[in-house]
Amino acid sequence: IMGLPTTGSSVEFRLFDQHGEEVASQVTEAKPEAPKDGIDRGVDEIADAEVLWRIPRAEAGFYRLTAAIVGRQKSLLTTETTFAVIDDFIGGPPHGSFGWTLPNGSGAMTPRDLSTWLSKLGVAWVKYPCWLAPDDTRGAEVTATIFRKLQDEGIQTVGLLDHPPADQVASYALRGPTELNAEQLFRDAQIWQPLLEPVMSRLTLKVRTWQLGADRDHSFLGRPRLQESIRKISSGLQGFGQPIDVAISWPWLEPELPNGESSWQAICRSSDPPLGANELDAFLSLRQQNTRSEVARTWLLLDAVPESKYDRDARIRDLVLRMATVRGHRVQAAFVSSPRDPETGLLRSNGRPGELLLPWRTTSRLIGNLRKVGSLQLRSGAENSVFAGSDRAVLMLWSAKPTEELIYLGEHIQSVNVWGKVTSLPVETNGNQPFQRVKIGPMPTFIIGADPK
């Protein structure tokens, strides 16, 4: 704390959980440091102080911490931060189809810290911007290290060629800022090839798949002879190093090229506003019916609905249900396009946890590599989905109205709420019939520990 009067100041700490309930607090006197010159100037002296509060051990969940300076005049200066406590209920590397696009790169994080952080959050895929200046050897080295660290953590990586550095834009002979898109940037190979060659020569040794243009850059949509154009771009990029796969962005409401006619290996689908869970299910089912196995792999964007239009619980429920929908179809990867976006992201703009981070993480870690195989007929009438793999199964339940289900799922069953808190479900008996008591509400609950067979 800087600029305190030398007497009469305290700091009030308050800790709130995800439900807004205060779980701990403390008021501590702020004792200013002694003047550096040793001269006491009385009560009007302005000084600095450090106040320490050791937070009580907290269970898994999202927390908001406030600190208020209470002075002699009873005025308050308040700040706050957020943090998340996670429970490693599933160990090992990240897995499955859920990932993030990092449009602004790693920020101030080191490659090691970035990869460890993303792995703990359950991020299984990362799109990372790679359009560097041809003489930026330091940037290329750092980016290559980031890719290596991510891959060491088991994270799938995608190189993002979205836009060149600001001081390089003039080299691409664009007619205006509206042309800063993939279709125009890759219009003339004589311009982009020599500028990208040093970058691609180094980075294609680290990453196989590359996306042309940013997420929601649909500029290739109206390009004549699109298949031939993308094939030439892909061939030009491959000429700088190892063979590559190419991905492009495409709107959900536009038809793709017929089977076997695409020259890209993955296509990232999106819409604005985003499709709801039922709409997404319908679109993915239709695409699966109309395509063969050799068609381009399906990616999609899976951002939360805007904070300004929906309450928190509705946003969480919508996001979790859409993530569950993805696991019922042949979707290779589903990305949060801008994790720090203040309206649709999972983090606050300063990188601190937002309220949707833990629900996203819980869902990604629990069902990210499982297939949605159906649902159960429950006496309570609660909606549910069953996800299964070779060695585990997960049951997700939710209900518009709070209810309770009595069901036997095995001996060592646990429930996990969207905040990642794990609770054991004891076996009860009714006569000779064993059962677990599962409380179900509007927010999805996951049941783990059931036999997948």
Side-chain angles (χ1 to χ4, degrees):
I1 309 167
M2 296 182 292
L4 281 177
T6 56
T7 61
S9 295
S10 298
V11 176
E12 180 184 39
F13 294 103
R14 302 178 72 189
L15 182 64
F16 301 89
D17 66 12
Q18 59 262 13
H19 305 298
E21 297 179 359
E22 184 177 298
V23 295
S25 64
Q26 178 172 296
V27 178
T28 303
E29 182 183 357
K31 297 180 179 180
E33 301 171 359
K36 294 182 179 179
D37 57 9
I39 300 175
D40 185 0
R41 296 182 175 84
V43 296
D44 293 328
E45 172 79 20
I46 301 299
D48 298 342
E50 182 177 288
V51 179
L52 175 66
W53 181 34
R54 193 170 300 281
I55 300 171
R57 183 175 179 84
E59 63 185 19
F62 171 83
Y63 295 90
R64 184 169 58 89
L65 173 65
T66 66
I69 302 172
V70 186
R72 288 177 297 171
Q73 306 301 321
K74 304 296 184 182
S75 61
L76 294 176
L77 295 175
T78 304
T79 186
E80 74 168 49
T81 191
T82 61
F83 64 89
V85 177
I86 61 175
D87 187 336
D88 288 325
F89 44 81
I90 296 181
H95 50 267
S97 57
F98 299 113
W100 290 6
T101 301
L102 303 179
N104 298 314
S106 61
M109 299 183 77
T110 66
R112 181 185 297 276
D113 288 344
L114 177 69
S115 59
T116 302
W117 179 63
L118 291 173
S119 177
K120 287 184 177 294
L121 290 177
V123 178
W125 286 75
V126 167
K127 294 182 190 177
Y128 195 86
C130 297
W131 205 321
L132 306 171
D135 58 350
D136 188 1
T137 55
R138 172 59 180 163
E141 289 175 0
V142 171
T143 303
T145 301
I146 287 172
F147 280 125
R148 185 178 73 252
K149 294 295 185 182
L150 291 172
Q151 291 160 5
D152 288 346
E153 292 286 349
I155 297 173
Q156 302 289 326
T157 54
V158 178
L160 189 62
L161 296 175
D162 50 356
H163 53 79
D167 59 358
Q168 297 285 314
V169 170
S171 302
Y172 291 83
L174 304 179
R175 291 188 286 269
T178 59
E179 290 194 347
L180 191 60
N181 57 55
E183 194 275 333
Q184 291 296 322
L185 289 167
F186 285 100
R187 181 181 56 207
D188 188 344
Q190 293 184 352
I191 295 177
W192 62 260
Q193 276 189 310
L195 292 173
L196 278 175
E197 180 176 3
V199 176
M200 299 299 292
S201 295
R202 178 183 293 270
L203 295 183
T204 53
L205 296 172
K206 299 296 182 184
V207 60
R208 172 67 181 260
T209 305
W210 294 79
Q211 180 172 301
L212 306 180
D215 290 336
R216 296 188 180 86
D217 180 346
H218 301 147
S219 57
F220 283 120
L221 184 60
R223 185 160 180 164
R225 299 185 296 277
L226 179 60
Q227 180 188 3
E228 179 183 350
S229 296
I230 299 298
R231 181 177 291 112
K232 288 182 178 180
I233 294 170
S234 179
S235 298
L237 294 172
Q238 285 183 4
F240 304 140
Q242 301 296 312
I244 65 171
D245 291 340
V246 166
I248 63 171
S249 296
W250 203 263
W252 270 119
L253 300 181
E254 293 291 336
E256 294 180 51
L257 290 176
N259 290 341
E261 293 187 12
S262 64
S263 52
W264 46 88
Q265 287 70 47
I267 186 164
C268 187
R269 309 302 293 269
S270 62
S271 67
D272 189 17
L275 301 176
N278 291 336
E279 295 171 312
L280 182 60
D281 185 55
F283 272 86
L284 287 170
S285 296
L286 183 62
R287 185 171 195 270
Q288 191 166 314
Q289 293 171 9
N290 294 338
T291 58
R292 298 194 301 266
S293 59
E294 66 267 21
V295 77
R297 299 183 292 273
T298 299
W299 297 352
L300 53 87
L301 301 186
L302 206 62
D303 295 315
V305 294
E307 182 178 6
S308 61
K309 296 182 179 180
Y310 299 90
D311 65 46
R312 184 199 68 177
D313 288 359
R315 299 177 73 226
I316 292 173
R317 184 167 51 251
D318 173 79
L319 179 62
V320 172
L321 292 182
R322 283 189 287 137
M323 293 175 75
T325 298
V326 165
R327 298 310 305 145
H329 299 275
R330 291 200 298 265
V331 175
Q332 187 183 37
F335 294 90
V336 175
S337 68
S338 184
R340 292 192 183 195
D341 186 278
E343 276 285 279
T344 62
L346 307 178
L347 306 170
R348 294 189 171 190
S349 57
N350 61 3
R352 303 297 296 178
E355 291 179 308
L356 271 65
L357 177 63
L358 284 181
W360 184 93
R361 176 189 185 268
T362 300
T363 309
S364 177
R365 296 290 283 184
L366 287 179
I367 68 171
N369 67 340
L370 302 181
R371 295 292 297 170
K372 183 178 178 181
V373 295
S375 60
L376 302 177
Q377 283 289 115
L378 301 178
R379 293 186 181 90
S380 64
E383 297 185 82
N384 66 94
S385 295
V386 179
F387 305 87
S390 60
D391 59 350
R392 64 188 185 93
V394 173
L395 173 63
M396 187 179 83
L397 308 106
W398 69 101
S399 173
K401 295 182 179 180
T403 186
E404 186 177 75
E405 180 71 28
L406 305 182
I407 184 173
Y408 181 72
L409 295 168
E411 290 298 318
H412 305 289
I413 304 301
Q414 296 173 309
S415 69
V416 186
N417 66 16
V418 293
W419 308 106
K421 180 182 177 182
V422 182
T423 303
S424 295
L425 297 179
V427 177
E428 303 179 38
T429 57
N430 182 7
N432 294 324
Q433 295 297 320
F435 65 89
Q436 277 99 11
R437 191 181 303 271
V438 183
K439 295 186 181 300
I440 308 169
M443 199 68 77
T445 296
F446 300 91
I447 305 300
I448 62 175
D451 188 342
K453 301 178 181 178

